[in-house]
Amino acid sequence: MKLLRHGPIGSERPGMLDAEGRVRDLSAHVPDIAGAVLTRAGLDALRALDPGALPVVEGQPQEDLRLGACVAGVGKFIGVGLNYADHAAESGMDVPTEPVLFTKWTSCIAGPDDDLAIPPGSTMLDWEVELGIVIGDGGRHIPEASALDHVAGYCVVNDISERDWQIHRGGSWDKGKGHDGFGPIGPWLVTTDEVPDPQALRLWLEVDGQMRQDGSTATMVFGVAALVAYCSRFATLMPGDIITTGTPPGVGMGQKPPVFLRAGQVMRLGIDGLGRQCQRVTG
């Protein structure tokens, strides 16, 4: 299934994408794409529905029908740094011996095609296409061997980062990762039955039509199962929590010389089978 949230900012409604690419409304069946809806039992209940019997939502998704973030009520938005060896190299950092974790504040979450406003004082605004893991059944101290059983599905994430705040302002990375709009997720959550191997997905990002990132989740240092298990050592994972898994090389900070986003530029990004995003940078 491809689950989504459609409608104006702050008034999104739950939905699913049918086989013809139309949005079907789920409001009569679930309050939102959140919480218990994302557990195995919740997803099984949605699978039992006949999409053809659900109301069609007027408009073409991501054209004249806005999509919101594909998950609501996210409790934790966990980031993983330097999880591609070649990205670590372009950042001038060692490949980590265990996952580097940081947080993206949930107030940064945005729709997949919402404009990105440059924050006041920002000078080093950067892009990062990433595979997002959406937790279904939660847990603590989850064994790696069963970690994928705790995943509801996957989505595209743009881990937008302000490098000056991240690197030069002291403390953890969080200051450069959690500003409003820095976490577009979606367009939809694709359930695990449609993603047979999360370590075999192409992910890409372009700025103003120029390809900047073109990689594969096959080159992740720590794979999806390892990350779910690892994160669950330090916090109880809950339905709807998101883990964003790192980015391949090609970020602006890694260009020679470095290149950062400017007002008027457009980012387009996507992951095979998971959809695409498009964000215009505004002043």
Side-chain angles (χ1 to χ4, degrees), residues 2 4 47 100-101 107 129 137 151 166 187 191 195 197 202 219 250 258 262 268 270:
K2 293 181 173 66
L4 54 87
R47 288 190 185 96
V100 175
L101 302 184
S107 53
V129 60
D137 288 81
V151 177
Q166 175 188 354
T191 52
V195 186
D197 185 357
R202 176 181 176 248
T219 64
R262 306 183 308 276
R268 291 185 174 84

Side-chain angles (χ1 to χ4, degrees), residues 203-229:
L203 61 173
W204 57 272
L205 181 146
E206 62 182 31
V207 179
D208 288 347
Q210 181 177 359
M211 189 67 72
R212 291 294 190 178
Q213 295 183 273
D214 191 354
S216 170
T217 58
T219 64
M220 287 166 58
V221 179
F222 304 101
V224 168
L227 291 175
V228 171

Side-chain angles (χ1 to χ4, degrees), residues 45-102:
L46 292 182
R47 288 190 185 96
L49 300 174
D50 174 11
L54 299 172
V56 176
V57 179
E58 184 177 352
Q60 182 67 27
Q62 299 189 275
E63 293 183 12
D64 55 349
L65 174 62
R66 177 188 175 271
L67 299 185
C70 59
V71 180
V74 176
K76 291 185 285 297
F77 195 174
I78 303 170
V80 181
L82 307 175
N83 198 33
Y84 289 71
D86 33 14
H87 171 57
E90 73 173 353
S91 302
M93 300 181 185
D94 294 333
V95 176
T97 56
E98 60 181 278
V100 175
L101 302 184
F102 59 89

Side-chain angles (χ1 to χ4, degrees), residues 3 20 80 89 103 136 164 170 175 195 212 223 243 249 251:
L3 303 176
E20 288 73 42
V80 181
T103 57
D164 182 42
K175 282 180 274 189
V195 186
R212 291 294 190 178
I243 303 170
V251 300

